[in-house]
C-alpha cells in the first residue's frame, strides 16, 4: 500500500510543475518548513545555499527530475552523507518539499 | 594644551556614542549565536546575563567562534563565508569580510596573530591578520589528478603557529605551517580514511584525530612524530553492522579528552566510544540514548556530557568517568544544539533552539539553576577558550 502511494506521488511529480497531489495540512506544512530550514539546513545551510550537502536552490535543482529528487529525500544517497528521511517524511510530504524547493523554499 | 582639548573633544564624541561602559575585564564573557537572526548575544557568565547583542553577521547556521588572546574580540565564522570581528566590550562589529562562498568554522594561531577560516566553497583555508582581517594566505584544498577542491573540516590550531585540518572529499589530513604566514608550508597525509567529517587536537597539542564518516574509525596523527604517518584507530567499532541514518554530523574538539581517556561519538550508533590515549586502544563503549553530536568532558574530566541528533535532540546525558556509567538523563528543552562549560566546570550552559532559551545547569546537583532568553540559540562560546590549544 505504501508502495502504491509512492507510485502515485512519483507519477504525479512527473507533471512539469511537480505538483504534489496530496498537500500537507497547514500545521504540518509549518513543521516541514521548519524542519527543512533547521534540520536539512544543518547540512544544506539554513538558506539552502549548500554546506556539506549540495545547494538546494531552484537554479541548482531545475534540471533534475523531481522524481529522483523525491527518491533522494526518502531513501538518501548511498556513499554520501545524505540520509534517508522515510522514517520522518511520507512520500507526499517529500514530494511537497521538493516542489517547494523547486519553486523557491518558503521562509519560516 | 590645544592637543589636550582636542583629545577631550574626541572623548566627548566617543563617549556620547557609547554611554556608561563600565570598566571591566573580558575573561568572564561569552557569546551565544542567535542563528536565525544573524546576531550574537554577548553574555556575562557569572552574572548569567545578556549584556547586549551585535547583529549584521549574516547567515549564522553552523557558526563558530574563536577569541583573541585578551578575550576582547570574538571572531565569528558564518556559513555564508563571513568572518566578523566583534568587540565584546563595546559590543560593536569592528570588522567584517566575506571571504568565501560557504564556510564552516575557523581557528586562531598559537600567538594570536593569525585567524584562519576553513571553507567548503571554494574548498581550502584562508589566513587573515587577526588585527586587520587582511588576507595573508589562501591555500586551496586541491587534490587528485583532476585538480578538484575538497571541502575542509576539522581545522585546529597547533603549537608553532601550525594548523591541522582534514579534506572531506579527498580523505587527507593537511598541516599548514604559518610561522611565516605569507609563505605557508604544507605537509600532507594521504589516504587517511574515507570522508573525514571533523577533527580535533588533544589538549596537549600532540595528537590530531579526524573522525571518519565513510567508514568506521578515526584517523590519528602523532604530531610529535609526523614521519610515522597517519594511522587508523577504532577501525572496527561498527562491527560491520549497518549504521543508522545519520541526520546530523557529530562535532569533535579537544573536549573529548578526560584524564587519560578520550570519549568519542560513534557515527550512526547510539554509543560513546572510550579510548585510552596512551595506547589508542578502545577500552569501552557506553550505550546512550541516541546518536551523539557533542561529547564533552567537564574541564576537570570527571563528567562527560552528551547531546544527540534528531529525533533524540531533547535529551542530554551525563557520564561519570570514574566507572564510565550513566549518571543522569536530562530533558533540558527542545532541540538541544550545544553545550558550554564555565571555565572550571561548575556550570554548563545548554542551548535549546526550539524553546528560545539557554538553560544553565549546576554540574554537581545536575539541577537547572537559571536560564536566559535567546532567539533560536545555537553555539555558546566563553572567552576562556582563548587560552586553550585547539579552541
Amino acid at each position: 500500500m505504501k508502495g502504491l502511494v509512492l507510485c502515485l506521488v512519483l507519477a504525479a511529480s512527473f507533471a512539469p510543475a511537480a505538483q504534489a497531489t496530496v498537500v500537507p495540512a497547514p500545521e504540518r506544512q509549518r513543521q516541514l518548513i521548519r524542519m527543512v530550514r533547521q534540520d536539512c539546513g544543518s547540512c544544506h545551510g539554513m538558506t539552502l545555499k549548500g554546506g556539506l550537502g549540495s545547494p538546494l536552490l531552484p537554479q541548482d535543482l531545475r534540471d533534475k527530475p523531481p522524481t529522483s529528487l523525491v527518491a533522494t529525500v526518502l531513501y538518501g544517497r548511498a556513499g554520501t552523507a545524505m540520509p534517508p528521511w522515510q522514517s520522518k517524511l511520507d512520500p507526499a510530504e517529500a514530494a511537497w518539499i521538493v516542489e517547494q524547493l523547486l519553486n523557491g523554499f518558503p521562509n519560516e | 594644551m590645544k592637543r589636550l582639548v582636542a583629545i577631550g573633544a574626541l572623548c566627548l564624541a566617543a563617549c556620547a556614542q557609547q554611554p556608561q561602559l563600565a570598566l571591566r575585564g573580558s575573561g568572564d564573557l561569552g557569546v551565544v549565536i542567535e542563528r536565525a537572526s544573524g546576531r550574537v548575544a554577548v553574555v556575562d557568565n557569572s552574572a548569567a546575563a545578556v549584556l547586549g547583542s551585535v547583529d549584521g553577521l549574516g547567515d549564522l547556521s553552523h557558526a563558530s567562534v574563536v577569541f583573541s588572546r585578551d578575550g576582547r574580540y570574538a571572531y565569528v565564522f558564518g556559513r555564508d563565508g563571513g568572518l566578523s570581528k566583534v568587540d565584546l566590550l563595546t559590543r560593536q562589529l569592528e570588522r567584517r569580510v566575506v571571504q568565501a562562498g560557504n564556510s564552516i568554522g575557523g581557528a586562531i594561531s598559537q600567538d594570536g596573530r593569525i585567524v584562519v577560516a576553513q571553507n567548503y566553497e571554494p574548498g581550502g583555508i584562508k589566513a587573515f591578520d587577526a588585527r586587520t582581517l587582511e588576507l595573508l594566505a589562501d591555500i586551496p584544498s586541491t587534490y587528485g589528478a583532476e585538480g578538484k577542491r575538497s571541502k575542509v573540516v576539522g581545522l585546529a590550531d597547533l603549537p608553532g603557529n601550525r594548523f591541522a585540518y582534514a579534506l572531506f572529499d579527498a580523505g587527507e589530513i593537511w598541516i599548514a605551517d604559518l610561522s611565516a604566514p605569507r609563505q605557508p608550508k604544507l605537509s600532507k597525509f594521504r589516504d587517511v580514511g574515507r570522508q573525514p567529517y571533523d577533527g580535533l587536537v588533544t589538549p596537549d597539542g600532540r595528537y590530531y584525530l579526524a573522525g571518519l564518516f565513510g567508514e568506521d574509525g578515526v584517523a590519528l596523527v602523532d604530531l610529535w612524530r609526523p614521519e610515522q604517518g597517519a594511522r587508523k584507530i577504532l577501525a572496527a567499532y561498527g562491527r560491520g553492522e549497518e549504521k543508522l541514518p545519520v541526520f546530523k554530523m557529530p562535532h569533535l574538539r579537544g573536549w573529548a579528552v578526560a584524564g587519560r581517556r578520550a570519549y568519542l561519538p560513534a557515527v550512526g550508533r547510539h554509543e560513546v566510544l572510550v579510548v585510552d590515549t596512551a595506547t589508542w586502544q578502545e577500552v569501552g563503549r557506553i550505550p546512550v540514548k541516541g546518536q551523539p553530536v557533542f561529547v564533552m568532558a567537564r574541564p576537570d574530566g570527571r563528567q562527560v556530557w552528551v547531546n544527540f541528533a534528531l529525533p533524540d535532540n531533547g535529551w542530554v546525558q551525563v557520564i561519570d568517568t570514574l566507572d564510565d556509567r550513566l549518571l543522569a538523563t536530562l530533558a533540558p528543552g527542545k532541540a538541544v544544539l550545544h553545550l558550554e562549560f564555565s571555565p572550571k566546570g561548575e556550570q554548563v550552559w545548554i542551548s535549546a533552539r526550539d524553546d528560545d532559551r539557554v538553560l544553565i545547569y549546576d554540574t554537581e546537583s545536575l539541577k537547572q539553576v537559571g536560564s536566559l532568553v535567546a532567539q533560536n540559540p545555537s553555539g555558546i562560546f566563553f572567552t576562556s577558550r582563548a587560552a586553550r590549544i585547539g579552541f
Side-chain angles (χ1 to χ4, degrees), chain A residues 33-48:
Chain A
I33 291 168
R34 182 165 187 88
M35 174 182 180
V36 170
R37 292 272 170 208
Q38 303 290 342
D39 299 318
C40 310
S42 76
C43 285
H44 292 281
M46 211 158 45
T47 56
L48 305 174

Side-chain angles (χ1 to χ4, degrees), chain B residues 16 68 128 218 257 363-364 391:
Chain B
S68 61
F128 299 88
V218 172
V257 178
T363 60
E364 278 307 315
F391 287 76

Side-chain angles (χ1 to χ4, degrees), chain B residues 217-239:
Chain B
V218 172
L220 174 83
V221 176
D222 181 347
L223 299 161
W224 291 5
R225 293 140 106 192
E227 68 286 354
Q228 295 185 339
R231 65 182 160 118
K232 217 171 291 169
I233 60 167
L234 295 171
Y237 75 77
R239 307 186 191 97

Side-chain angles (χ1 to χ4, degrees), chain B residues 261 263 286 302 319-327:
Chain B
R261 293 179 164 187
Y263 292 76
I286 304 164
R302 177 64 197 268
I319 295 164
D320 183 345
T321 58
L322 195 61
D323 52 8
D324 284 345
R325 233 172 293 190
L326 281 178
L327 193 63

Side-chain angles (χ1 to χ4, degrees), chain A residues 34-35 37-39 41-47 49-53 79-85 87-88 108, chain B residues 35-36 59-62 79-80 102 120 151 168 194-195 213 245-249 310-311 313 353-354 376:
Chain A
R34 182 165 187 88
M35 174 182 180
R37 292 272 170 208
Q38 303 290 342
D39 299 318
S42 76
C43 285
H44 292 281
M46 211 158 45
T47 56
K49 277 195 276 197
L52 193 63
T80 79
M82 175 63 187
W85 292 86
S87 62
K88 309 264 173 296
E108 275 189 68
Chain B
R35 71 179 203 162
D59 178 358
L60 295 185
S61 50
H62 212 291
R79 172 71 95 177
D80 55 4
N102 205 307
Y120 279 164
K151 298 185 189 78
F168 178 84
R194 290 194 55 218
Q195 295 173 322
F213 176 80
V246 177
F247 295 117
K248 190 170 172 142
M249 288 290 173
L310 216 63
N313 57 358
R353 182 193 68 206
D354 291 356
N376 287 332

